[in-house]
Amino acid sequence: LSLNDDVEPVVFYLYSLMGHDDLWAASPTSEQTRRVAEMVAGHPTLLLLDAAADLEPTAEFLRDCCELTEEELSKVIAATPGVLGLSVEDNLKPTMEFLADNMRMWSQSKDGQ
């Protein structure tokens, strides 16, 4: 595990999810730093993930599937950082399809009453 090649891109990406896109241009806010520190402390395995192959696709799926704004996505990720370790194809997509199907069935049964 290389600090520069593996860990740094993940930390930078986590900062970008918290609304800070350019760590080289300006320092993150204390709130952004606190949130990233809490995510990593609570879920250290995030540092083992690949920013481009793991984190980005998951964040994009959540943003698109749930129609989240950047601020909303930031709040979801900060509250449940472990979701970044889930596979879109194996976990998130099937779960969202299950929930959507059940919500449709619930809505249809409620409309039929």
Side-chain angles (χ1 to χ4, degrees):
L1 191 62
S2 163
L3 180 63
N4 289 336
D5 295 336
D6 301 316
V7 176
E8 190 174 81
V10 170
V11 172
F12 280 21
Y13 191 74
L14 292 175
Y15 270 108
S16 76
L17 289 174
M18 295 302 110
H20 191 77
D21 291 326
D22 191 355
L23 287 174
W24 300 116
S27 296
T29 66
S30 60
E31 175 65 13
Q32 290 165 332
T33 299
R34 182 189 64 74
R35 290 168 80 183
V36 170
E38 286 177 356
M39 285 191 289
V40 171
H43 300 274
T45 56
L46 288 174
L47 298 176
L48 301 176
L49 299 173
D50 182 270
D54 300 317
L55 303 180
E56 287 181 36
T58 301
E60 287 176 22
F61 175 81
L62 292 171
R63 183 183 306 112
D64 296 344
C65 180
C66 301
E67 299 178 4
L68 300 174
T69 65
E70 293 299 319
E71 184 178 342
E72 292 167 335
L73 178 64
S74 173
K75 289 178 183 179
V76 168
I77 298 300
T80 57
V83 73
L84 290 172
L86 298 176
S87 163
V88 171
E89 294 301 320
D90 295 338
N91 300 103
L92 296 176
K93 199 177 279 188
T95 300
M96 293 304 289
E97 289 169 357
F98 171 80
L99 293 173
D101 290 345
N102 280 292
M103 291 299 291
R104 257 190 303 281
M105 287 188 297
W106 179 79
S107 177
Q108 290 170 350
S109 71
K110 189 172 179 167
D111 290 342
Q113 291 182 5

